[in-house]
Amino acid sequence: MTGVPMGAGPLHSAAGRATGISSSAQVRAVLGPTNTGKTHLAIERMLAHASGIIGFPLRLLARENYDRMVARKGAGKVALITGEEKIIPPDARWFSCTVEAMPLDRRVAFVAVDEIQLCADPDRGHIFTDRLLHARGQVETMFLGADTIRPLLRRLVPGIEIDHRPRLSQLAHTGPSKLTRLPPRSAIVAFSAAEVYAIAELIRRRRGGCAIVMGQLSPRTRNAQVALYQNKEVDYLVATDAIGMGLNMDVNHVAFASLSKFDGTRMRPLTPAEIAQVAGRAGRGLRDGTFGTTGMCRPLSEEVAEAVEEHRFDPLSRLSWRNSDLDFSSPDALLASLGRSPPRPELTAGHEASDVLALASLAASPEIRTLARSRAATRLLWEACQIPDFRKLGDDSHIRLCARIFSHVIRDGRVPPAWIEGQIAAFLRPEGTIDSLMHRLSGIRVCAYVAARPDWLRDAAHWQERTRDAENQLSDALHAQLTARFVDRRAATLIRRLDEGSADDLLSAVTAQGEVLVEGHPVGRIAGLDLMAEGIDVPDRRLLMRAARRAVRTEIPRRVHVLAHAPDSCFDIARDGRHLMWEGVNVARLRRGHDLLRPRVEVLDNPLLDNVQRERIRERLQDWLERHVRDVLAPLFAAQAAVPDDPTLRGIVHRLMEDGGVTPLHRDEARSRVLHGHLGRLGIRMGHLALFMPALMKPRCMRLRAILTCAHMETDIPELPAASVISIPHDLLPATFMDRMGWMRAGPVRIRADIAEKLVNELTRQTRHHPVPLSNALASRLSIRRDAVMAVLKGLDIHVRPTRPMPPAQFGPPAPAMLMGRLRHRPAYRATQATASREQAAAVAPTGQGRPRAPLRGGHDHADHPFAALAVLKARQS
């Protein structure tokens, strides 16, 4: 805030002499670090005089100390004056104000200014410097602040008496700490609203909640938030550096979440004195305090930490200054007087304030220059430009607002009631987010500033009450939003109980819905047979879980009984294929058993179960699993039951059960047509590479077979190909696993056994009497590349004669690739080369007429196959 309301203008030296200040009036400075009792001393001194004015750097402080003074002297004797709020009883003698709003045209016995070191602030410092140079009480004047301003006080205020007051308690540096490990009664300091919200959200999740203090809050919201903290409903406070300006709270530790701030122009590091100003909020009265850093903030250097502990800082060398002896003859003259150079080397021009920027912009407007032709009009223009820009929208809306106020007052004598009512109504919407409510509060503060000017509004008292009521409504809504978002009262109470002692005396229970309560706060739920923690995540979670498990132990026997008598529909195998579930929660895992179809069930580790309960659960789950396997793989068990007396068939079915439904084909089995028929009636197909049951190739059966296979192999179950997939790369999944699943190797790919068998039979029928051209549709049918077709068919023992060009003397297209038929006597699983040679020789035994049997069509009669050539040669020699 840079503006000075009408009737509260700066008091230059000539005006100071006109107030009748005696030459014996005492001017004192009380300097020292925080927690020295300076403000308390000043208020006591003021109330001991017949009248007085004290200026504070924040509206929050002015309001807080106004309430203290009212408690001492009564509401009829104490006034509150800030830019937005004026409570001035007719008989008021003591005034609590913001520094900008101090009514220095009043003659009072005592004048005080708090935080006088803010004279060096580049934005607001010129106001404090003006009060330092010109504001005086008739009997006593007191300036309160840090020791850093001592040398400049001696030079700028001759004859000033300076008292040093030591800190009442010690301040110690404790180094960095994690946010979740900060001790109770800590204040975490950040320098942006976004950072404050992020930290507050983390504190709510981990420690139950926190209060929020920011400079943008209204006094009502701030007081309500501080009450949460002071009443110990929460143990943490997240704030901006606004807490460094005299806000007294029960803080034991101050933790900096950042050591830099945006000063309106740039990001800059905090000075050691600024760090000390905020850190000094820790420890009040005779109680010591600590400070440090937290979160992602870098640790304080040893030099800075030592300086803060010992209150040693570089003295201020310059104070901000702006001329207060203004020329109102014209807007240009006013701007020139505002830009006058400082009269002393100890003074320097600060940042260009928003009121000067607004004046420069409006002075360039022809319409405004036409209206501002007199001294009174120019003064009014300057007062309109001093309306604080609380909203800080970053556009020219504030300048337009200043122009509108000036135009209404200069033309109509007053601001129209309809306009101010429209402004208030636009902002008075108590619903919305925290940010929107804070924005509306800023707009109401502007309206309150305008309403506080009786020379700008008719019935100003009405509008002051109207804006105060609007601010209160928005403040209450904002407090409710902050509390709802950042405070969990029950969690905070629970965490405090945990911090104070053990979990033995905590009340815990389990609801009918399985929710676990500790001290009435939900901390988890019973899922299956275990306690699943939910909700707050506290550092000492062990104690909380101990209290919760005490309640759960009484519930576990009932749940074990329910599980043991639950219907089969309550159980299932988890998606990972390794666990068994009860009511959707994992309760056991599958282990390798004596055979593939009977894996062993192992109950998951659970400290809530004893051995008897664990065995009871295991027996129930084992019983369900065996029935589930028999139900899903029913065709396999039906085949086993159908061959009790046939050793050959019983052996084959036994192999199928050992291998999970797919087993290699032996040579003697492949040659037996009788066996082929018997197996077909059992639902078992004798393929050219393996024996398998087509019924077990369905998705549900494949899934269970994969689970049983992986449990037996003690490996994780891979992702199975979808039911619609025809072929996959041969190395996509482990070979042993895919063989057992019935995905047969065919050159560069694997094809499911039932699909491969169907294809081989179809091609064999087509080539029974003569070769046929290779169809181009095979590639899309098998979902493979066209150039891989011949390699895949070769892997399926289908002989393909490649494309042949025409002889040189003939013309025409090349002969197409031809399907020659199946390599009938190629073994499914090759033996050694010697065994293969003997089989090839046997394939050329003489016929009944003494002629050698012709090589089988499509057989190994290629010149590049030595065993085939040798067999033909022997046959001819015989």
Side-chain angles (χ1 to χ4, degrees):
M1 184 190 306
T2 59
V4 181
M6 180 74 76
L11 184 66
H12 52 80
S13 56
R17 289 191 294 272
T19 59
I21 299 173
S22 68
S23 60
S24 61
Q26 185 184 36
V27 180
R28 295 176 58 196
V30 181
L31 306 180
T34 56
N35 192 26
T36 58
K38 298 186 296 292
T39 304
H40 176 74
L41 172 65
I43 292 177
E44 289 295 318
R45 292 293 301 164
M46 182 176 72
L47 297 181
H49 287 282
S51 60
I53 298 172
I54 183 167
F56 295 99
L58 296 176
R59 180 192 180 197
L60 295 173
L61 280 176
R63 181 76 200 205
E64 179 182 281
N65 287 291
Y66 164 76
D67 293 335
R68 292 181 183 176
M69 293 158 60
V70 166
R72 290 275 304 275
K73 295 296 185 178
K77 299 298 182 181
V78 182
L80 172 67
I81 304 179
T82 67
E84 308 97 280
E85 194 172 12
K86 285 184 172 55
I87 304 174
I88 308 176
D91 298 328
R93 295 165 56 191
W94 296 281
F95 294 76
S96 179
C97 314
T98 53
V99 172
E100 286 86 347
M102 293 172 68
L104 297 181
D105 54 347
R106 286 179 176 264
R107 294 185 179 185
V108 291
F110 179 89
V111 170
V113 179
D114 195 16
E115 305 292 356
I116 195 63
Q117 77 276 1
L118 287 180
C119 288
D121 183 79
D123 293 311
R124 301 174 61 205
H126 64 276
I127 299 291
F128 286 79
T129 301
D130 182 78
R131 304 301 183 254
L132 173 68
L133 297 178
H134 305 308
R136 298 293 183 267
Q138 292 178 305
V139 179
E140 183 178 3
T141 302
M142 183 178 289
F143 299 112
L144 318 171
D147 269 311
T148 53
I149 200 173
R150 178 192 296 264
L152 291 178
L153 286 181
R154 292 195 181 280
R155 279 184 284 186
L156 294 173
V157 186
I160 189 171
E161 298 178 14
I162 299 180
D163 296 335
H164 175 78
R165 292 177 69 92
R167 183 177 168 88
L168 299 176
S169 61
Q170 296 297 315
L171 189 61
H173 179 236
T174 58
S177 301
K178 290 185 177 180
L179 269 171
T180 54
R181 292 293 181 181
L182 291 174
R185 316 312 292 167
S186 289
I188 301 101
V189 181
F191 294 92
S192 70
E195 194 174 13
V196 166
Y197 296 155
I199 294 171
E201 181 65 29
L202 177 62
I203 295 296
R204 184 195 66 79
R205 293 200 311 266
R206 302 299 299 274
R207 303 298 295 178
C210 61
I212 303 291
V213 172
M214 295 190 289
Q216 304 98 304
L217 299 183
S218 66
R220 188 181 181 95
T221 303
R222 177 261 177 188
N223 291 341
Q225 286 290 301
V226 169
L228 285 175
Y229 179 81
Q230 292 295 89
N231 296 336
K232 296 189 176 181
E233 295 184 60
V234 294
D235 279 329
Y236 297 89
L237 179 73
V238 183
T240 62
D241 55 344
I243 66 167
M245 293 298 170
L247 297 180
N248 298 321
M249 286 165 287
D250 184 20
V251 175
N252 295 338
H253 179 78
V254 170
F256 289 87
S258 177
L259 292 174
S260 59
K261 64 181 292 187
F262 183 71
D263 63 2
T265 304
R266 60 185 176 87
M267 288 295 296
R268 65 169 180 82
L270 299 176
T271 65
E274 289 172 325
I275 294 172
Q277 184 73 30
V278 177
R281 296 302 108 192
R284 305 306 303 164
L286 299 178
R287 189 180 67 251
D288 294 339
T290 57
F291 69 98
T293 57
T294 189
M296 303 300 293
C297 181
R298 59 179 174 82
L300 283 169
S301 66
E302 293 184 6
E303 295 79 6
V304 172
E306 183 179 350
V308 173
E309 289 177 332
E310 299 180 3
H311 317 296
R312 291 186 291 99
F313 310 109
D314 294 335
L316 299 174
S317 58
R318 298 285 183 88
L319 303 182
S320 294
W321 179 88
R322 189 171 75 183
N323 180 36
S324 58
D325 186 12
L326 302 180
D327 182 356
F328 293 104
S329 59
S330 69
D332 292 336
L334 175 59
L335 281 170
S337 63
L338 284 167
R340 193 170 301 165
S341 299
R344 300 188 55 158
E346 299 89 347
L347 306 177
T348 185
H351 293 163
E352 201 164 19
S354 62
D355 52 4
V356 176
L357 294 174
L359 177 64
S361 177
L362 294 181
S365 168
E367 181 182 357
I368 297 298
R369 294 181 70 89
T370 301
L371 297 175
R373 290 182 174 178
S374 64
R375 296 183 65 87
T378 302
R379 184 183 294 273
L380 176 63
L381 176 62
W382 174 233
E383 291 169 356
C385 291
Q386 289 183 292
I387 298 173
D389 185 12
F390 293 123
R391 293 181 294 172
K392 293 181 171 56
L393 298 178
D395 55 19
D396 62 349
S397 58
H398 179 70
I399 295 176
R400 294 199 305 271
L401 172 69
C402 296
R404 183 156 194 167
I405 295 293
F406 169 72
S407 300
H408 280 310
V409 176
I410 198 70
R411 286 173 173 163
D412 308 326
R414 292 289 190 276
V415 174
W419 180 85
I420 190 71
E421 176 61 35
Q423 292 290 306
I424 295 172
F427 294 120
L428 186 52
R429 288 182 287 121
E431 70 284 347
T433 64
I434 290 174
D435 288 336
S436 63
L437 288 171
M438 292 184 72
H439 172 74
R440 292 172 201 154
L441 266 173
S442 298
I444 287 294
R445 290 180 68 187
V446 175
C447 295
Y449 186 93
V450 175
R453 297 296 302 265
D455 52 335
W456 286 0
L457 281 169
R458 293 184 178 89
D459 196 6
H462 164 75
W463 293 111
Q464 290 171 21
E465 182 65 28
R466 182 88 170 84
T467 55
R468 188 179 300 118
D469 178 67
E471 182 178 292
N472 289 343
Q473 291 187 50
L474 291 174
S475 297
D476 292 343
L478 178 58
H479 171 64
Q481 287 273 21
L482 290 170
T483 303
R485 179 171 174 183
F486 299 123
V487 176
D488 186 338
R489 286 185 171 91
R490 288 195 299 173
T493 302
L494 174 60
I495 293 169
R496 189 177 299 112
R497 291 283 303 276
L498 290 172
D499 290 338
E500 291 172 354
S502 69
D504 296 336
D505 58 345
L506 295 177
L507 299 177
S508 55
V510 180
T511 67
Q513 293 74 34
E515 188 177 36
V516 182
L517 307 178
V518 176
E519 291 290 333
H521 183 82
V523 299
R525 60 184 177 85
I526 297 182
L529 298 169
D530 204 0
L531 172 62
M532 308 296 291
E534 291 180 348
I536 59 173
D537 184 12
V538 299
D540 203 353
R541 183 174 173 177
R542 178 180 55 83
L543 289 176
L544 186 62
M545 289 299 100
R546 193 172 82 195
R549 286 194 180 96
R550 191 172 64 244
V552 171
R553 285 189 187 280
T554 63
E555 173 72 7
I556 288 300
R558 187 190 70 82
R559 288 196 161 243
V560 172
H561 177 79
V562 171
L563 184 150
H565 295 84
D568 286 354
S569 59
C570 294
F571 303 101
D572 200 357
I573 301 176
R575 288 181 60 85
D576 63 7
R578 302 184 62 183
H579 292 89
L580 299 184
M581 298 189 300
W582 173 53
E583 294 182 346
V585 179
N586 294 348
V587 293
R589 64 171 60 90
L590 295 177
R591 294 295 192 189
R592 178 187 176 96
H594 294 298
D595 56 67
L596 184 141
L597 298 183
R598 294 195 63 188
R600 182 167 53 90
V601 175
E602 180 183 88
V603 179
L604 296 177
D605 293 337
N606 190 332
L608 303 174
L609 298 174
D610 59 29
N611 290 336
V612 174
Q613 293 168 336
R614 196 184 307 276
E615 180 61 21
R616 190 177 181 189
I617 295 168
R618 189 199 67 76
E619 289 176 353
R620 176 67 182 94
L621 292 173
Q622 190 80 53
D623 179 63
W624 169 81
L625 181 61
E626 291 180 5
R627 279 201 300 274
H628 180 67
V629 172
R630 283 181 173 273
D631 176 58
V632 176
L633 304 184
L636 185 57
F637 286 92
Q640 182 190 38
V643 292
D645 302 325
D646 191 323
T648 303
L649 293 178
R650 189 167 63 247
I652 291 175
V653 173
H654 180 72
R655 281 163 43 208
L656 281 172
M657 297 191 73
E658 282 187 331
D659 294 338
V662 178
T663 192
L665 177 66
H666 293 174
R667 180 165 310 285
D668 54 347
E669 295 168 347
R671 293 172 177 173
S672 174
R673 293 185 176 274
V674 174
L675 185 60
H676 188 282
H678 286 309
L679 292 176
R681 286 189 290 274
L682 294 174
I684 301 171
R685 178 171 297 178
M686 183 183 294
H688 77 296
L689 294 177
L691 287 166
F692 64 94
M693 299 190 77
L696 301 187
M697 307 302 288
K698 296 178 179 179
R700 185 175 181 224
C701 297
M702 287 281 278
R703 170 72 178 168
L704 180 58
R705 289 173 50 231
I707 291 171
L708 297 174
T709 299
C710 289
H712 197 68
M713 297 171 64
E714 297 183 323
T715 61
D716 292 335
I717 180 171
E719 187 69 27
L720 293 175
S724 59
V725 173
I726 302 298
S727 62
I728 60 173
H730 76 89
D731 56 354
L732 182 64
L733 295 172
T736 303
F737 173 77
M738 295 307 289
D739 286 340
R740 289 196 172 188
M741 288 298 98
W743 283 80
M744 300 292 104
R745 173 75 182 271
V749 301
R750 284 185 177 272
I751 303 176
R752 212 170 66 200
D754 53 343
I755 298 175
E757 183 65 21
K758 181 179 179 180
L759 176 66
V760 169
N761 290 339
E762 180 182 329
L763 296 182
T764 300
R765 286 195 302 270
Q766 293 177 7
T767 58
R768 178 170 300 172
H769 301 294
H770 52 77
V772 297
L774 179 63
S775 172
N776 292 330
L778 275 178
S780 60
R781 179 177 175 181
L782 296 176
S783 299
I784 58 176
R785 299 192 313 270
R786 183 172 296 179
D787 58 2
V789 169
M790 296 183 67
V792 170
L793 293 177
K794 182 178 179 181
L796 294 175
D797 291 344
I798 302 296
H799 176 49
V800 180
R801 187 181 68 194
T803 301
R804 293 180 177 179
M806 295 292 288
Q810 299 179 9
F811 297 95
M818 301 293 289
L819 286 171
M820 306 300 295
R822 181 179 172 192
L823 303 176
R824 298 176 184 274
H825 299 285
R826 188 176 184 180
Y829 292 89
R830 286 189 177 87
T832 62
Q833 286 189 352
T835 303
S837 176
R838 288 195 299 271
E839 291 174 349
Q840 292 292 342
V844 295
T847 65
Q849 298 179 355
R851 293 177 303 177
R853 186 172 64 183
L856 294 173
R857 178 170 35 86
H860 290 286
D861 54 353
H862 304 295
D864 60 349
H865 199 297
F867 296 112
L870 180 61
V872 173
L873 180 61
K874 287 183 178 181
R876 289 176 178 174
Q877 290 176 348
S878 63

